[in-house]
Amino acid sequence: MSDLRKLNIDGTEYEVPAEYTLMQACEEAAGAEIPRFCYHERLSVAGNCRMCLVEWVGAPKPQASCALQVKDLRPNRDGTPANIRTNSETVKKAREGVMEFLLINHPLDCPICDQGGECDLQDQAMAYGRDTSRFEENKRAVDDKFMGPLVNTIMTRCIQCTRCVRFVTEVAGVEEIGLASRGEDAEITTYLEQSLTSELSGNVIDLCPVGALTSKPYAFNARPWELESVESVDVMDAVGSNIRIDSKSDQVLRIMPVINEAVNEEWISDKTRFVWDGLTRQRLDRPYIRENGKLRAAGWDEALALAAEKLKGDPARIAAIAGDLMDAEAMKALKDLMDNLGVRNLDCRQDGSVIGGAARQEYLLNTTIEGLEDADALLIIGSNPRFEAPLVNARIRKAWLNSNLKVGLIGEAHDLTYDYDHIGTGASDLASFVKSTKGFARTLKAAKNPAIIIGQSALIGEKAAQVLRMVGELAKTVGAVKAGWNGFNVLHTAASRVAGLDIGFLPGEGGYGTSEILSQAKAGNLDTVFLLGADEIDTNFGNAFVIYQGSHGDRGAHYADLILPGVAYTEKSGLYTNTEGRVQMASSAVSPKGEAKEDWAIIRALSGHCERVLPYDNLNALREKLFADHPVFAGLGHAPGAQGAEDFDPSTMGEAGSVGTAEFGSAGHDFYLTNPIARSSNVMAECAELSDKSQMAEAAE
């Protein structure tokens, strides 16, 4: 139980935990508002802006409330609790003085500043500043710094709060920004005057309390009061980050994070934040039919009639693959249609992964993202979480920093922003590790809460099923799965994958999986292949008729004989299940482009043409059937965690046998170009080009 101390705040006595800062005590106990610029709840205390000054009655000068803890306050001489004043004349005068100093060199850019209307300095100058300045000297100017294609800099506005410095150092783990020089010459700069390389760099835009760091792609597009905002869910990876989509005139102009402590805290990756320009490029806005090698525009009736004709053949010669960005409703509708047609060749694992099972805990991140902070030893197998799931990697780094988490890696070596033991690179190293009793193997077995993360690159290949079985048995052996704790974790990279596995969008009895569908199509054994947003298949389908339903003219549309235009994730309401099994609802922010329709509605209309009418006419009816058939979708916002850990049975996972000698690669090697929306984005293309150059420079060194 916390040690409680008494404190008199603005004339009222309160009891607060001793480890609270004075700022926390004033705000949480007394409800006082304390202004601040440098202080941030998720960063270390800097105490350098002095805006949070309060009066400690009897002290010679005002105190910085962010840097002083309650336990450091001594009682008054008569034994009564220390008196703190947050609104006295002394405090008012001190804050006005601090604000006056902050504005000495600050330019009067408000009318043209992108931060205008969302600026902490603007708001606090109004609330706590003077209406005049006593300084007449010339303002200093600071050169703008190049921080890459994402972050725009106007450093004359900077007030040296150092939030950006602390974020990239502590959270992102890439020490690329710092404070150089002293006094009037002090300025925030990138050490090497090069682009930021962190995949989380865009978060410094949200952290900056003035207009020194703003969004370069968003610059001069809109004012905050012109935007319409909708809260939704990100689909760029399987983390399910909570986001806010800002749009103007039916066009997405900005994507921002929404606080969710259990998932993304208040950060998002750069791909999530800046991919929005790809939402309007390369769009499929009407049905197309390929004739004589060329696509021609068609009407919906003609397109659906042709699709129905191609789906009425022998069910054994028809297949369907669901892509990485699909919502649960679309996959449910297509699964129901294919079941009605008798088609068993289905798969939602377009990368050929072997994951999937009767028990959900066989394919979830069971520790939960937040729960990774409780692990004391972590083995990562065949994954680069920094680029496959940046927010998961940030959690691992947080645990490594704060609780001395020990990390081991079997797979390709990367800079993960924290120290780890590199045990090996492939399946043979995993087999040796399982038998070992030394080094990290001993650390993992001795841990109180051991955890294992297996990535997608370890789940692909001829021996992937055997690797999965071995990892499951290892988790059981080292005590990673027990009552109240499930440390067996699968890190997915596709937003649709867990929902697809939950629905059972998998090969039926005697049916083909993705790799078999591709080989059978090439061999001429399939007549029709239905691609539901499947764009990561870089191969042809032989003479099979390919129906592609999706939002962008990417690889899937390139192979298609018939294109049915669907909508992007910002244009529909849909359910997505993240890598930890948490079901979340995305919301529509803008209207569909051209004649595009919601994916489930296209499949429902197609079912009528196939004379296999699906039993739902609207989204609510579809969701009712989804919840009835798969109750896990009804638990919005809930991650199962260690639920059912006692029933964890490795013998039901994968296959027994030798794991072979295959090397584990990385599923996130091309971080900025992993899906059709990202590949349509000019900003992501620029980021990818810079990333390639920096990797080449590192290799040269």
Side-chain angles (χ1 to χ4, degrees):
M1 188 175 175
S2 297
D3 179 20
L4 297 177
R5 302 286 176 89
K6 289 184 178 179
L7 206 57
N8 187 306
I9 303 173
D10 293 333
T12 305
E13 197 170 289
Y14 300 94
E15 218 172 33
V16 296
E19 66 272 12
Y20 267 24
T21 62
L22 206 46
M23 178 186 285
Q24 287 175 305
C26 292
E27 291 195 331
E28 292 189 24
E33 183 178 317
I34 308 294
R36 82 291 300 267
F37 290 114
C38 69
Y39 176 80
H40 191 276
E41 292 81 356
R42 301 184 200 279
L43 305 176
S44 60
V45 174
N48 56 7
C49 77
R50 319 309 284 180
M51 196 64 207
C52 65
L53 294 174
V54 297
E55 181 185 4
W56 178 8
V57 178
K61 60 183 180 181
Q63 306 294 310
S65 61
C66 70
L68 186 64
Q69 288 186 295
V70 171
K71 63 186 177 185
D72 296 326
L73 299 175
R74 66 175 186 275
N76 297 322
R77 290 183 177 179
D78 60 2
T80 57
N83 290 315
I84 303 298
R85 300 288 177 265
T86 67
N87 53 12
S88 65
E89 278 303 312
T90 301
V91 173
K92 186 171 181 289
K93 186 177 179 183
R95 289 175 181 167
E96 286 179 352
V98 169
M99 182 60 72
E100 197 172 359
F101 272 116
L102 288 174
L103 294 175
I104 289 174
N105 291 308
H106 199 79
L108 302 177
D109 284 347
C110 295
I112 58 153
C113 179
D114 257 349
Q115 201 86 342
E118 296 176 314
C119 178
D120 290 349
L121 186 66
Q122 207 174 43
D123 296 341
Q124 293 187 38
M126 286 290 293
Y128 303 104
R130 296 164 56 95
D131 54 3
T132 58
S133 173
R134 291 169 287 181
F135 288 88
E136 298 177 355
E137 289 80 2
N138 291 332
K139 294 177 183 285
R140 75 163 188 168
V142 180
D143 290 339
D144 295 339
K145 307 296 184 290
F146 175 70
M147 291 191 181
L150 306 179
V151 181
N152 188 47
T153 63
I154 303 179
M155 300 313 291
T156 301
R157 300 173 185 166
C158 178
I159 61 171
Q160 283 96 43
C161 71
T162 69
R163 279 187 181 182
C164 55
V165 177
R166 284 173 285 148
F167 173 81
V168 298
T169 304
E170 297 164 15
V171 179
V174 182
E175 297 183 15
E176 294 178 329
I177 305 178
L179 182 67
S181 301
R182 300 174 67 184
E184 190 183 18
D185 296 325
E187 55 183 279
I188 301 290
T189 180
T190 52
Y191 292 122
L192 302 176
E193 306 235 346
Q194 291 179 346
S195 173
L196 299 178
T197 61
S198 171
E199 67 289 349
L200 298 171
S201 65
N203 291 292
V204 300
I205 295 165
D206 298 335
L207 288 171
C208 185
V210 296
L213 305 177
T214 55
S215 170
K216 195 173 277 187
Y218 168 72
F220 309 118
N221 273 318
R223 287 296 199 180
W225 54 84
E226 298 176 300
L227 299 172
E228 293 184 21
S229 300
V230 172
E231 291 191 5
S232 191
V233 178
D234 172 53
V235 300
M236 292 297 111
D237 54 30
V239 173
S241 299
N242 287 210
I243 57 173
R244 191 187 84 204
I245 303 170
D246 292 343
S247 61
K248 176 187 176 184
S249 302
D250 225 29
Q251 183 175 347
V252 176
L253 291 181
R254 192 167 65 167
I255 294 175
M256 308 271 282
V258 169
I259 296 176
N260 186 325
E261 298 294 348
V263 182
N264 57 303
E265 297 183 294
E266 62 183 87
W267 320 122
I268 52 175
S269 74
D270 289 350
K271 185 163 57 175
T272 298
R273 184 185 295 271
F274 295 109
V275 79
W276 52 265
D277 71 311
L279 291 165
T280 54
R281 295 193 174 94
Q282 299 280 87
R283 288 302 300 269
L284 301 172
D285 58 357
R286 66 188 64 182
Y288 288 92
I289 296 172
R290 192 179 299 277
E291 289 180 351
N292 302 320
K294 292 186 177 181
L295 291 171
R296 68 163 177 86
W300 270 109
D301 282 342
E302 183 186 3
L304 291 174
L306 177 59
E309 179 190 330
K310 297 297 181 180
L311 291 172
K312 285 179 179 176
D314 180 359
R317 297 179 65 86
I318 298 171
I321 302 174
D324 291 348
L325 306 182
M326 277 298 121
D327 55 291
E329 292 90 339
M331 290 188 287
K332 173 61 174 169
L334 185 57
K335 171 81 162 53
D336 286 351
L337 176 58
M338 291 297 160
D339 285 349
N340 287 349
L341 292 169
V343 176
R344 295 179 179 176
N345 308 316
L346 304 173
D347 210 338
C348 63
R349 305 163 299 184
Q350 63 172 338
D351 55 7
S353 165
V354 300
I355 202 68
R360 285 187 98 206
Q361 59 184 342
E362 293 179 17
Y363 54 82
L364 295 183
L365 191 91
N366 295 294
T367 307
T368 71
I369 296 169
E370 189 175 27
L372 283 169
E373 294 182 36
D374 298 325
D376 46 1
L378 172 65
L379 175 64
I380 300 171
I381 302 168
S383 176
N384 175 3
R386 180 174 173 187
F387 293 114
E388 292 174 23
L391 279 307
V392 171
N393 198 64
R395 289 279 188 170
I396 297 171
R397 174 175 168 79
K398 184 179 177 183
W400 174 77
L401 277 176
N402 300 334
S403 61
N404 201 27
L405 171 70
K406 305 294 183 189
V407 183
L409 173 69
I410 300 177
E412 195 177 331
H414 297 279
D415 176 10
L416 296 180
T417 72
Y418 42 82
D419 295 336
Y420 59 85
D421 291 341
H422 191 214
I423 298 157
T425 58
S428 56
D429 298 302
L430 172 63
S432 301
F433 178 83
V434 168
K435 298 171 185 173
S436 176
T437 57
K438 299 177 181 178
F440 191 77
R442 180 188 295 172
T443 303
L444 191 66
K445 288 170 184 171
K448 182 183 176 186
N449 289 331
I452 298 171
I453 290 178
I454 181 168
Q456 295 306 299
S457 65
L459 296 169
I460 300 167
E462 290 181 12
K463 296 286 187 177
Q466 286 81 356
V467 170
L468 178 61
R469 169 73 67 88
M470 181 171 282
V471 174
E473 290 172 347
L474 175 64
K476 197 78 171 174
T477 303
V478 300
V481 185
K482 55 195 174 188
W485 177 260
N486 190 337
F488 175 79
N489 300 298
V490 177
L491 183 60
H492 292 280
T493 55
S496 65
R497 187 65 51 82
V498 174
L501 297 174
D502 286 340
I503 288 168
F505 202 101
L506 296 166
E509 189 176 344
Y512 302 139
T514 298
S515 56
E516 292 168 309
I517 290 172
L518 299 179
S519 61
Q520 293 294 330
K522 279 185 181 178
N525 296 328
L526 292 179
D527 295 330
T528 306
V529 179
F530 194 116
L531 300 180
L532 181 62
D535 287 280
E536 311 311 313
I537 299 170
D538 199 8
T539 183
N540 67 64
F541 294 84
N543 293 322
F545 187 89
V546 178
I547 302 170
Y548 175 77
Q549 179 177 322
S551 60
H552 284 69
D554 203 69
R555 293 170 190 157
H558 176 75
Y559 294 117
D561 297 295
L562 170 63
I563 293 174
L564 305 176
V567 295
Y569 71 106
T570 52
E571 298 157 13
K572 61 183 172 184
S573 174
L575 296 173
Y576 293 89
T577 308
N578 76 349
T579 189
E580 55 182 353
R582 189 186 305 273
V583 181
Q584 301 182 106
M585 186 178 292
S587 301
S588 169
V590 292
S591 303
K593 300 291 181 280
E595 297 176 28
K597 309 289 183 189
E598 289 193 29
D599 294 292
W600 75 268
I602 296 172
I603 297 163
R604 168 62 181 78
L606 177 58
S607 72
H609 283 265
C610 292
E611 299 174 0
R612 298 284 197 283
V613 180
L614 296 175
Y616 30 79
D617 296 326
N618 55 57
L619 191 56
N620 287 337
L622 168 53
R623 283 181 179 155
E624 283 178 18
K625 187 167 192 314
L626 177 66
F627 298 161
D629 293 348
H630 311 283
V632 291
F633 286 97
L636 278 177
H638 169 71
Q643 185 179 321
E646 318 73 57
D647 303 324
F648 183 81
D649 184 6
S651 66
T652 64
M653 300 163 57
E655 297 174 12
S658 166
V659 295
T661 58
E663 299 287 294
F664 299 147
S666 168
H669 59 279
D670 215 347
F671 173 67
Y672 296 104
L673 304 173
T674 54
N675 62 62
I677 301 175
R679 287 190 287 271
S680 300
S681 164
N682 286 344
V683 177
M684 292 297 100
E686 196 173 345
C687 289
E689 186 180 353
L690 278 169
S691 176
D692 288 343
K693 285 180 180 177
S694 67
Q695 287 172 17
M696 288 170 66
E698 285 176 21
E701 289 172 11

